[in-house]
């Protein structure tokens, strides 16, 4: 077994041709982590999944977020672990609904230990990067440890949620700072995600 | 003629870049399905957002089914079925389980036989001459 390579290998520069911008797109995609066919997952690099195959009959679910700042509060923090520094991801989700269906089919599943893998589309996609076009577009949260429900609130008079649910999904102790989904190009990854729905 | 569900599914898959004619069409679908027009603002995303909202309502109402959304064909229709979440690149085109044909799948697997793990279903391959059982001697 080889030891991990710990030598950095890239300059940190500012790309004025394709400037970095904040935020993510309005639609995310969630899959039940237990329905990923891990035996068939292909990696492009340590931080890039080339595919995200699901077991037969499984599918992804879209998460649409309203407002001008979708998934506002999505963060990754790094903290010192026992052996290495680990990454913790936090992902707020607003649900503009309070119904038996949303309780039974979504929230209660997470309350009882459901683990998700969530794909968000960054606004900064690096589409002009000739070596890896669109490689930064789709970020995967929860691949290693799963996104689990860490807190949730239903405040019927909240202006922030229009009286709906506010949930926070979290992954603790991920071994890499970021995981991306990249089937080879932005177009290919979009098609991959379509095939999940 | 396409149904509203089929048309919205098509627009949903495109994910934006709608023509003026399509925008007029989206406006009409928004009124008929959501009971209101597309929101008024100068944001480009409003057309895509409207399509997504209509798509979700149709899906919730069962007018867009999982099979429709994935266009998953039954085994009788298609011999090769790619796993969800996998893309094949073949001769400059991308294929998923939605648009993969048996012909493309067979050609791909002939060139990359180890990719069989990316499929949910493949037909039993005919045995090569060398693998066939020797005829029994009488």
């Amino acid at each position: 077994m080889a030891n991990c390579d710990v030598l950095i290998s890239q300059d940190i520069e500012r790309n004025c041709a394709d400037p970095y911008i904040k935020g993510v797109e309005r639609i995310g995609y969630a899959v039940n982590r237990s329905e990923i066919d891990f035996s068939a997952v292909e990696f492009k690099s340590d931080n890039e999944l080339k595919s995200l195959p699901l077991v037969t009959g499984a599918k992804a679910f879209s998460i649409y977020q309203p407002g001008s700042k979708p998934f506002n509060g999505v963060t990754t923090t790094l903290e010192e672990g026992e052996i290495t520094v680990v990454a913790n991801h936090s992902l707020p989700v607003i649900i503009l609904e309070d119904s038996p269906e949303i309780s039974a089919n979504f929230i209660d599943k997470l309350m009882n230990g459901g683990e998700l893998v969530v794909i968000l589309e960054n606004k900064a996609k690096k589409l002009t990067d000739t070596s890896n076009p669109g490689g930064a577009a789709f970020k995967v949260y929860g691949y290693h440890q799963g996104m689990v429900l860490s807190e949730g609130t239903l405040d019927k008079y909240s202006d922030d949620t229009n009286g709906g649910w506010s949930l926070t999904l979290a992954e603790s102790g991920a071994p890499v700072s970021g995981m991306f989904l990249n089937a080879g190009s932005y177009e290919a990854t979009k098609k991959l995600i379509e095939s999940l729905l | 003629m396409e149904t509203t569900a089929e048309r919205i599914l098509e627009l949903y898959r495109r994910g934006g870049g709608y023509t003026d004619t399509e925008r007029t069409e989206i406006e009409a679908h928004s009124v008929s399905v959501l009971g209101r027009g597309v929101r008024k603002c100068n944001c480009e995303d409003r057309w895509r957002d409207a399509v997504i909202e209509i798509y979700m309502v149709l899906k919730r109402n069962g007018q867009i089914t999982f099979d429709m959304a994935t266009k998953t064909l039954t085994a009788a229709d298609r011999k090769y079925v790619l796993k969800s979440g996998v893309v094949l690149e073949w001769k400059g085109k991308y294929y998923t389980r939605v648009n993969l044909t048996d012909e493309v799948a067979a050609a791909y697997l002939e060139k990359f036989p180890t990719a069989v793990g990316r499929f949910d279903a493949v037909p039993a391959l005919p045995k090569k001459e060398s693998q066939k059982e020797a005829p029994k001697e009488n």
Side-chain angles (χ1 to χ4, degrees):
Chain A
M1 189 171 73
N3 286 319
C4 297
D5 180 0
V6 295
L7 304 178
I8 65 167
S9 55
Q10 183 177 322
D11 297 323
I12 303 295
E13 297 172 316
R14 185 181 176 194
N15 185 348
C16 292
D18 191 1
Y20 185 75
I21 48 176
K22 64 184 176 183
V24 297
E25 305 290 357
R26 287 176 188 277
I27 307 178
Y29 307 91
V31 299
N32 290 301
R33 189 170 178 276
S34 59
E35 293 186 320
I36 293 174
D37 185 350
F38 285 100
S39 66
V41 170
E42 298 160 292
F43 286 82
K44 192 167 185 281
S45 72
D46 289 346
N47 298 76
E48 288 173 291
L49 298 169
K50 192 176 171 186
S51 66
L52 191 62
L54 304 184
V55 296
T56 306
K59 57 169 285 195
F61 299 88
S62 59
I63 301 176
Y64 175 79
Q65 292 293 275
S68 58
K69 291 182 178 176
F71 301 100
N72 189 14
V74 57
T75 53
T76 296
T77 54
L78 307 179
E79 70 170 8
E80 201 169 340
E82 287 290 321
I83 299 171
T84 63
V85 172
V86 294
N88 301 324
H89 304 292
S90 180
L91 176 61
V93 176
I94 304 294
I95 303 175
L96 299 183
E97 185 174 334
D98 177 24
S99 69
E101 291 79 17
I102 210 70
S103 281
N105 301 332
F106 196 89
I107 299 171
D108 293 1
K109 305 293 185 193
L110 297 175
M111 285 174 66
N112 284 290
E115 289 182 339
L116 301 179
V117 171
V118 180
I119 304 165
L120 297 188
E121 182 175 352
N122 286 330
K123 286 194 168 168
K125 308 179 200 305
K126 289 191 79 175
L127 292 171
T128 60
D129 184 340
T130 50
S131 64
N132 193 13
F138 296 96
K139 193 155 185 190
V140 179
Y141 296 87
Y143 178 79
H144 293 95
Q145 303 283 4
M147 299 296 286
V148 296
L149 184 62
S150 68
E151 58 184 52
T153 306
L154 176 70
D155 181 346
K156 302 299 279 186
Y157 288 98
S158 166
D159 291 330
D160 293 337
T161 63
N162 262 10
W165 278 99
S166 167
L167 306 181
T168 301
L169 305 175
E171 179 186 34
S172 301
V176 297
S177 56
M179 201 70 187
F180 292 82
L181 182 60
N182 182 2
S185 69
Y186 178 75
E187 182 196 356
T189 313
K190 284 284 270 190
K191 284 194 175 295
L192 184 156
I193 290 171
E194 279 175 18
S195 81
L196 292 170
L197 294 169
Chain B
M1 192 178 162
E2 277 185 319
T3 63
T4 299
E6 286 167 343
R7 183 63 181 141
I8 289 299
L9 188 58
E10 191 182 327
L11 294 167
Y12 175 78
R13 287 204 173 108
R14 290 247 310 280
Y18 306 119
T19 63
D20 287 345
T21 312
E22 287 169 337
R23 289 178 178 188
T24 307
E25 193 187 344
I26 292 166
E27 180 76 32
H29 286 310
S30 183
V31 170
S32 72
V33 176
L34 304 176
R36 58 178 161 76
V38 177
R39 69 192 159 106
K40 307 280 184 253
C41 65
N42 286 327
C43 37
E44 185 63 25
D45 283 348
R46 66 195 174 118
W47 303 103
R48 191 176 74 160
D49 291 349
V51 168
I52 291 164
E53 280 190 78
I54 299 165
Y55 172 85
M56 286 179 167
V57 168
L58 294 177
K59 207 170 170 188
R60 197 180 305 145
N61 294 345
Q63 289 166 268
I64 293 179
T65 62
F66 178 56
D67 279 354
M68 260 177 86
T70 59
K71 281 189 189 162
T72 304
L73 299 178
T74 61
D77 299 318
R78 190 182 287 183
K79 294 174 185 166
Y80 297 83
V81 180
L82 205 53
K83 284 179 180 293
S84 296
V86 172
V87 174
L88 298 185
E89 187 177 359
W90 181 248
K91 295 187 175 175
K93 282 189 174 178
Y94 296 113
Y95 295 92
T96 64
R97 65 187 285 141
V98 175
N99 63 346
L100 183 72
T101 63
D102 284 347
E103 292 72 28
V104 170
Y108 188 88
L109 281 176
E110 192 175 343
K111 187 165 184 186
F112 305 107
T114 56
V116 71
R118 306 172 86 184
F119 286 78
D120 265 345
V122 293
L125 297 174
K127 288 183 178 176
K128 290 179 182 173
E129 286 298 317
S130 57
Q131 294 174 318
K132 284 184 179 170
E133 286 180 25
K136 289 178 182 173
E137 289 179 14
N138 290 323

